[in-house]
Amino acid sequence: MTNAPDDAALRAGLDDLLRHGNPPIVIVTARDDRGRRAGCLVGFTSQCAIGPPSYAVWLSVRNHTYEVALRSTHLAVHVLAREQRALAQLFGSVTGHDRDKFAECEWDDGPSGLPILRGAAGWFAGPARRIPSSGDHELFVVSPLIAHGRLDHQPLSFQDVKDLDAGNPA
Ligand SMILES: Cc1cc2nc3c(=O)[nH]c(=O)nc-3n(C[C@H](O)[C@H](O)[C@H](O)COP(=O)(O)O)c2cc1C
């Protein structure tokens, strides 16, 4: 391998290689020990263990959701159908630093006080562990203890929402 390309060239090269990928897109919600609620759209996710079941989400350190997740013991992960893009837009293009998203959608108090979004096809939730890292996103591993709902339709995926402007710059 030759010298590493400069940052801009490397980013452009990666964008070119990865732009056709279509991972599922989810909404992560949190509630902290002060009663603050937060949630944002997340494309950096992966199932990461079968037993015990584990699911990884990466949260931007600039997000209101990250601040709240730091003081939350549990996280909820909402799975969306394609028809539920409006909910994705609310949670992906608005930041809780400026607006209360929960005043603009329907939700219920769920396990551990987590806000559960009625408009999502399904959700799962459980204790979450932060794995510190040095990048602009940090890893939280959720160990689901409860799962609800069904995804009978096409899931909402990255290609369906890549045109949205993020509420916070990454
Ligand atoms: C297509 C798309 C994918 C996104 N993926 C992530 C992600 O993986 N992790 C993350 O923390 N934010 C991601 N965001 C950005 C947040 O959802 C967005 O900045 C949101 O407004 C933050 O809200 P908050 O400040 O209330 O947490 C994504 C946004 C879009 C539009």
Side-chain angles (χ1 to χ4, degrees):
M1 198 181 281
T2 55
N3 290 342
D6 66 47
D7 220 37
L10 176 60
R11 280 187 190 203
L14 283 172
D15 283 350
D16 201 47
L17 287 172
L18 299 176
R19 76 193 144 121
H20 296 299
N22 200 19
I25 200 102
V26 300
I27 297 173
V28 174
T29 59
R31 180 183 176 275
D32 72 8
D33 53 357
R34 299 170 180 171
R36 293 185 303 172
R37 295 184 184 88
C40 70
L41 192 67
V42 174
F44 290 158
T45 76
S46 180
Q47 206 168 353
C48 58
I50 298 165
S54 305
Y55 195 82
V57 298
W58 280 263
L59 297 180
S60 164
V61 298
R62 294 192 180 185
N63 285 358
H64 179 243
T65 305
Y66 172 78
E67 281 175 25
V68 174
L70 283 180
R71 301 179 62 98
S72 303
T73 56
H74 292 61
L75 292 176
V77 178
H78 298 76
V79 176
L80 303 170
R82 261 188 155 164
E83 295 71 25
Q84 293 162 337
R85 192 186 126 103
L87 197 59
Q89 183 161 14
L90 174 63
F91 278 85
S93 295
V94 173
T95 172
H97 291 306
D98 299 337
R99 255 160 67 188
D100 178 7
K101 295 177 223 186
F102 298 95
E104 301 180 37
C105 67
E106 294 189 314
W107 58 277
D108 298 300
D109 262 325
S112 307
L114 289 165
I116 301 299
L117 305 175
R118 286 190 202 162
W123 58 274
F124 55 86
R129 203 159 42 95
R130 180 175 70 108
I131 315 284
S133 54
S134 56
D136 55 12
H137 285 64
E138 280 208 343
L139 168 60
F140 291 76
V141 176
V142 183
S143 304
L145 295 179
I146 182 169
H148 264 278
R150 279 179 73 86
L151 190 55
D152 291 327
H153 301 281
Q154 283 280 92
L156 190 79
S157 308
F158 175 72
Q159 296 295 337
D160 300 317
V161 289
K162 66 177 182 183
D163 59 311
L164 294 180
D165 290 326
N168 281 313

